[in-house]
Amino acid sequence: MSNNSAVGIHDLSFATTEFVLSHEALAEYNGTEIGKYHIGIGQRSMSVPAADEDIVTLAAAAAAPIIAKHGNERIRTVVFATESSIDQAKAAGIYVHSLLGLQSACRVVELKQACYGATAALQFAIGLVKRDPDQQVLVIASDVSKYDLDSPGESTQGAAAVAMLVSADPALVRIENASGLFTADVMDFWRPNYRSTALVDGQESVQAYLQAVEGSWKDYGEQGGRTLEQFAAFCYHQPFTKMAYKAHRHLLNYAGFDTDKDDIERAIGQTVAYNTVVGNSYTASVYLALAALLDQADDLTDRPIGFLSYGSGSVAEFFAGTVVPGYQQHLRTEANLEVIARRKPVDYAGYRELHERSFPADGGDHPTPAQTTGPFRFAGLSGHKRLYQAR
Ligand code: COA
C-alpha cells in the first residue's frame, strides 16, 4: 500500500447500557410537559448505566465485535476519547486492551476535550495510518453523561461507546484531508476534578456551539473544503438531537442558503435516530449519528457526508468523509438496533438510585451488584483499584 492510499473508518460498532429511562417517566416525576422533551429538545429516552457498567465496560463491549471480525494483529495503537474519565493517570483504554486481549506491542492513550475528543482521536489515527498503512488504529469514544438531579441538563443525559477501526482502504468512509478548525476559551460546560456531574450553562452552550459551527465552517472553506450543496447529509454532535437542527439551520443561514424545513430534515433526519433514544453520549454522539445515517439511508455510495464535531470549552472541527462503494455489506445495522432494543426500562426511582451511587474513597473492598447482562462488568473497587470481569 502506498502512503497516498485513502484512510478512514473501516468498521464501526457501538454499545450502550443495560437500562433505559423514558422521558415520559422523567416528565411524570418533574411535571414537565412531555412536548418539551419530545419536540423541544428532541429526546425520547436516555441510556442509564447499571451499577456494574462504566466507560470501560461500554468501550470493551463496543470494540469486541471489531476485534472478533478483524483480529488484533495490525492494531498497534488504541486511542480512547472520553470526558468521563475514571482515573487521572491511567488510561481507561489499558483496561480495554486487557479485556480484549490486544497485543502488548501497542500504545494506548486517553484523549480529552469534552465531546470533541473522538474527532481528535480519529484525525491522529489517520496520521498514524498514513505513516504506515499496514497498521490499524482502534479509536474508542466512551462516555457517561451525568448532570445533577433536577437540573436542566438532567433530561439530556445518556451513555454509549463507539469503537472505530481506522485503516487504509477503509470499507465504510474515507476521511478527506480538508478540515476546518475552531477553538475559543468559553465556560459553557465543564466538570472540575472534584465533581462527578458536569456543570453547564445551557443557553451559553447553544450559542458557543453555533459560534463554533461558523468558525469551523469558515476555516474549512479556507482550507479548500467542499461547498455546502455537495453534501448528502450532515452528522453533527448531538447533546440533544434538536441541537443538530439548530446548528444546520445556522450553517445554512451563515453560508447564505435558504433554511427550508424539508431540506434540513433531508440533511439531518436520518442522523438522529440513535441519539434520540440513547441521549447524550458526549464523544460518541457524532459517530452514533454516522451509524444511524449509514444504517438508514437508501444508498450513500460515493456521497460526501459533512461532520461537525463540537466539544464545549470549546473546540470544533468540520470535516468530510466519502462513503465507500460496497459499504452496506459492512454495516452492523441489526446489532446496532439490538443493543438499543435490549435495554431494560428502569423507573424513575430506580434511575435515581443508580444516579446517586458513589464509592467510598477508603480503599476498602466495594463490590458492585451484578446487574449488567453485557459481555463485561465493572466488579467493584478494592485497594483503590478498579476490577473488571469478562463473561
Ligand atoms: N412543547 C414543545 N417545545 C417546548 C415545550 C413544549 N411543551 N416547552 C418548551 N419547549 C421548547 C422551548 O421552546 C425550547 O426550544 P428552542 O430551544 O427551540 O427555543 C426547548 O423546548 C428547550 O426549552 P428551554 O426552556 O430552553 O429548556 P431548558 O432551560 O430546560 O434547557 C437545554 C434545555 C438543552 C439547554 C438543557 O437541557 C441543557 O443545558 N442541556 C445540556 C446541554 C449540553 O449538553 N451542552 C453541552 C454540550 S453542547
Side-chain angles (χ1 to χ4, degrees):
M1 271 176 271
S2 86
N3 273 6
N4 294 323
S5 47
V7 177
I9 303 168
H10 190 48
D11 197 357
L12 186 157
S13 160
F14 74 80
T16 188
T17 58
E18 183 71 12
F19 297 122
V20 59
L21 177 73
S22 73
H23 277 75
E24 279 96 346
L26 180 63
E28 198 179 316
Y29 162 79
N30 65 19
T32 297
E33 154 65 38
I34 193 66
K36 172 171 171 179
Y37 292 154
H38 285 176
I39 301 159
I41 61 170
Q43 292 304 128
R44 307 198 77 87
S45 59
M46 61 176 84
S47 285
V48 176
D52 53 348
E53 290 179 323
D54 69 2
I55 56 164
V56 168
T57 64
L58 293 175
I66 289 184
I67 305 304
K69 183 168 173 185
H70 305 276
N72 63 33
E73 297 76 20
R74 292 172 63 191
I75 298 174
R76 289 176 57 82
T77 304
V78 177
V79 191
F80 191 118
T82 188
E83 58 175 302
S84 23
S85 193
I86 50 166
D87 194 290
Q88 292 289 24
K90 180 165 175 152
I94 297 178
Y95 296 110
V96 177
H97 176 277
S98 166
L99 288 169
L100 298 180
L102 301 186
Q103 58 182 340
S104 58
C106 189
R107 59 167 80 83
V108 182
V109 288
E110 189 166 310
L111 279 190
K112 173 179 68 188
Q113 185 3 70
C115 304
Y116 166 74
T119 297
L122 174 62
Q123 295 291 6
F124 298 165
I126 289 167
L128 286 171
V129 174
K130 287 206 170 168
R131 192 171 79 171
D132 177 2
D134 288 333
Q135 294 187 23
Q136 297 176 324
V137 178
L138 181 62
V139 168
I140 301 176
S142 184
D143 269 303
V144 173
S145 159
K146 201 170 173 189
Y147 296 93
D148 283 344
L149 291 165
D150 305 318
S151 72
E154 184 180 23
S155 57
T156 61
Q157 296 174 121
V162 168
M164 295 183 281
L165 189 63
V166 175
S167 80
D169 297 325
L172 295 178
V173 179
R174 293 188 208 105
I175 301 297
E176 299 180 356
N177 284 343
S179 202
L181 303 173
F182 181 80
T183 288
D185 183 3
V186 287
M187 291 303 283
D188 58 328
F189 167 106
W190 67 106
R191 183 170 67 84
N193 285 345
Y194 50 81
R195 286 182 62 98
S196 63
T197 51
L199 295 164
V200 62
D201 178 338
Q203 305 312 330
E204 167 89 14
S205 132
V206 170
Q207 290 316 311
Y209 186 130
L210 297 179
Q211 279 298 114
V213 168
E214 282 184 25
S216 55
W217 174 256
K218 181 169 176 288
D219 186 51
Y220 178 69
E222 288 165 7
Q223 300 300 315
R226 292 175 180 272
T227 55
L228 203 68
E229 61 273 32
Q230 292 178 29
F231 291 102
F234 293 80
C235 295
Y236 285 89
H237 166 53
Q238 296 168 10
F240 49 98
T241 63
K242 180 82 171 289
M243 189 65 223
Y245 290 86
K246 283 180 193 279
H248 196 56
R249 192 175 308 113
H250 191 83
L251 178 60
L252 290 174
N253 244 323
Y254 178 70
F257 287 85
D258 285 345
T259 52
D260 179 69
K261 209 164 168 257
D262 293 341
D263 284 349
I264 295 176
E265 185 58 31
R266 263 192 298 279
I268 305 299
Q270 289 176 318
T271 71
V272 300
Y274 296 155
N275 286 317
T276 196
V277 290
V278 164
N280 193 358
S281 56
Y282 290 163
T283 51
S285 144
V286 64
Y287 300 101
L288 273 186
L290 172 63
L293 174 68
L294 295 178
D295 284 348
Q296 292 178 98
D298 278 346
D299 183 10
L300 288 167
T301 301
D302 289 327
R303 302 294 310 278
I305 298 170
F307 292 84
L308 186 285
S309 178
Y310 174 76
S312 292
S314 72
V315 175
E317 180 160 352
F318 189 98
F319 62 103
T322 310
V323 181
V324 176
Y327 76 97
Q328 286 104 331
Q329 277 99 66
H330 304 280
L331 297 177
R332 296 178 176 275
T333 311
E334 252 178 62
N336 293 344
L337 294 172
E338 175 57 21
V339 296
I340 288 171
R342 71 182 283 282
R343 294 173 302 169
K344 297 188 185 73
V346 65
D347 62 13
Y348 183 82
Y351 147 75
R352 204 170 169 107
E353 196 183 319
L354 285 164
H355 193 288
E356 284 173 335
R357 279 187 71 85
S358 67
F359 286 99
D362 59 6
D365 289 339
H366 301 293
T368 51
Q371 294 180 341
T372 183
T373 55
F376 304 98
R377 64 180 297 269
F378 166 43
L381 288 181
S382 179
H384 296 295
K385 294 173 189 152
R386 295 176 86 85
L387 307 173
Y388 290 97
Q389 293 169 345
R391 274 173 208 285

